Amino acid sequence: MIKIMKYGQVPNSEIFARVTPTVDVAGIVADILYDVRKNGDKAVLSYCAKFDKAELTTLEVSKEEIEEALTLVEPEFLEILKEAAANIRAFHSRQVRNSFVLADKPGIVLGQKVTPIEKVGVYVPGGTAAYPSTVLMDTIPAKIAGCPQIVMVTPPGKDGKINPAILAAASIAGVDKIFKVGGAQAIAALAYGTESIPKVDKIVGPGNAFVAEAKKQVFGMVSIDMIAGPSEILVIADGKSDPVHVAADLLSQAEHDKLASAVLVTDSEKLAAAVAEELERQLPKLPREEIARASIENNGKIIVADSLMAGIEIANEIAPEHLELMVDDPFSYLDAVKNAGSIFMGRSCPEALGDYFAGPNHTLPTSGTARFSSPLSVDDFVKKSQFSYYTADALGNVAEKIAAFAEKEGLRAHGRSVLVRKEGEV
């Protein structure tokens, strides 16, 4: 059963304890990265056979396979995918940044140029579940940013095929190339390039511990979005909340992973007890009960606070990936929330709405990194360059000031490079 804690009566170390994966995969991942960097497609194909049990001769998904997938997906689900994609486009289109120019001083032009990243790699997990939602969430912002090439990698099944729903989502989102490879070897292929998989400039998308470690190790060679940890949800609920709804929302994240974290913060001891009982009633009904139960029993907690504002302070300290405000007037608390990846407002806004359909991104900061980082957005797929232009007269007007600044830092050649333009030999 889930643990119930009274804030102020148990050590903060228990209240704010986080899940820390103990599996050390760094050495295994380093070996895989080296092998793929050295041996290219040959290494990738061997790992597909080893880990995915798929005997492949080619890695790229053909147009015929994509067309076949579109016929295999139910028409009703295709329409759902298209509507979700439209919602995601509508939201992310508001994030587009423009270049700007400042020319308000004589002889001086300054500016910032926004340029889309040339090649983006999107990792889509496979294995125990298929995630067409990740395809939409990670590809559509890149398309809006104007990235010329989007390359997707995802592990194949034992039959060497990709789940049709994933291919359908890729078609709707506008992915340019798709390859049948997952795990650390997929990250290596995107980072270094192989005979068939192009080297990209940035890699985005969630994955298991091996994928996360691989992204960490290739960072610097390429850019990455974030190092994603186990899924998290924190629900702040008052005594009027329905325990059936609260428990269902907690389980929506617990079923992801045994390391997932589901937390309820409430000012009602009665609700705390009711939710604990409701979790036990709902768990046996889940196909992934074993996973969800391990998450709830090992990492889940119910924290009883003196007030909802105290609950907000607890949430700000935890900085959860997903935060639900299950109260009558959630907007009155919104300004007090400082650290959260995505915030779900009110009693009719379960986290699953954001996972699939609403429009805001579901690739979010985890493990407390919402203290300083943001959800995936269009900003992640552009880079910014500055530019400056000075006429000779404009430079001459500030030359002595620049030289004085350079002298103060002991970098005389900096100053000379300016003065020589004003005075000739110096």
Side-chain angles (χ1 to χ4, degrees), residues 271-333:
L271 179 71
V275 170
E277 291 180 9
E278 186 60 29
L279 285 168
E280 292 304 311
R281 190 185 71 82
Q282 292 187 28
L283 271 165
K285 299 180 179 182
L286 298 178
R288 294 165 69 91
E289 178 191 359
E290 180 186 358
I291 293 170
R293 185 173 291 280
S295 166
I296 290 294
E297 292 182 352
N298 298 329
N299 314 318
K301 62 187 79 167
I302 297 175
I303 303 167
V304 180
D306 291 334
S307 67
L308 289 178
M309 283 308 300
I312 296 285
E313 293 174 8
I314 293 168
N316 283 334
E317 181 68 24
I318 293 174
E321 177 186 16
H322 306 99
L323 174 64
E324 288 189 9
L325 297 179
M326 205 175 284
V327 296
D328 283 335
D329 183 14
F331 289 94
S332 66
Y333 294 94

Side-chain angles (χ1 to χ4, degrees), residues 355-379:
D355 269 351
Y356 301 114
F357 204 74
N361 211 281
H362 80 190
T363 300
L364 303 168
T366 61
S367 306
T369 59
R371 291 179 295 108
F372 52 79
S373 57
S374 307
L376 192 75
S377 73
V378 173
D379 283 344

Side-chain angles (χ1 to χ4, degrees), residues 12-197:
N12 280 357
S13 59
E14 291 186 38
I15 296 289
F16 301 120
R18 301 201 87 93
V19 180
T20 52
T22 56
V23 180
D24 183 7
V25 300
I28 297 170
V29 168
D31 289 343
I32 293 172
L33 296 181
Y34 176 80
D35 190 11
V36 173
R37 188 172 191 174
K38 181 179 179 182
N39 297 307
D41 282 352
K42 180 181 177 182
V44 172
L45 289 166
S46 70
Y47 288 122
C48 286
K50 179 178 181 180
F51 297 126
D52 303 313
K53 311 304 180 187
E55 297 292 341
L56 303 176
T57 55
T58 58
L59 293 167
E60 187 168 2
V61 175
S62 67
K63 291 181 180 179
E64 290 74 20
E65 287 175 287
I66 296 171
E67 290 169 359
E68 180 188 15
L70 290 170
T71 67
L72 295 174
V73 176
E74 305 90 332
E76 296 82 6
F77 186 64
L78 278 178
E79 290 306 311
I80 292 171
L81 283 175
K82 290 175 183 177
E83 189 173 350
N87 292 341
I88 295 165
R89 287 190 190 97
F91 181 86
H92 289 79
S93 293
R94 302 299 295 269
Q95 297 174 337
V96 174
R97 293 180 183 268
N98 296 314
S99 302
F100 65 81
V101 175
L102 298 175
D104 55 347
K105 296 179 181 179
I108 301 173
V109 181
L110 308 174
Q112 179 173 278
K113 180 177 179 290
V114 178
T115 308
I117 293 174
E118 191 75 19
K119 293 181 181 178
V120 172
V122 174
Y123 185 91
V124 178
T128 59
Y131 298 100
S133 58
T134 296
V135 180
L136 301 181
M137 292 289 183
D138 289 4
T139 300
I140 289 172
K143 296 295 288 188
I144 291 170
C147 299
Q149 187 172 39
I150 299 172
V151 180
M152 190 180 94
V153 291
T154 190
K158 293 179 181 179
D159 59 359
K161 296 184 177 182
I162 304 298
N163 185 291
I166 288 180
L167 293 183
S171 177
I172 290 168
V175 174
D176 297 297
K177 289 179 176 291
I178 306 170
F179 293 93
K180 303 174 183 180
V181 54
Q185 58 272 22
I187 302 302
L190 291 173
Y192 306 127
T194 70
E195 296 88 340
S196 58
I197 302 175

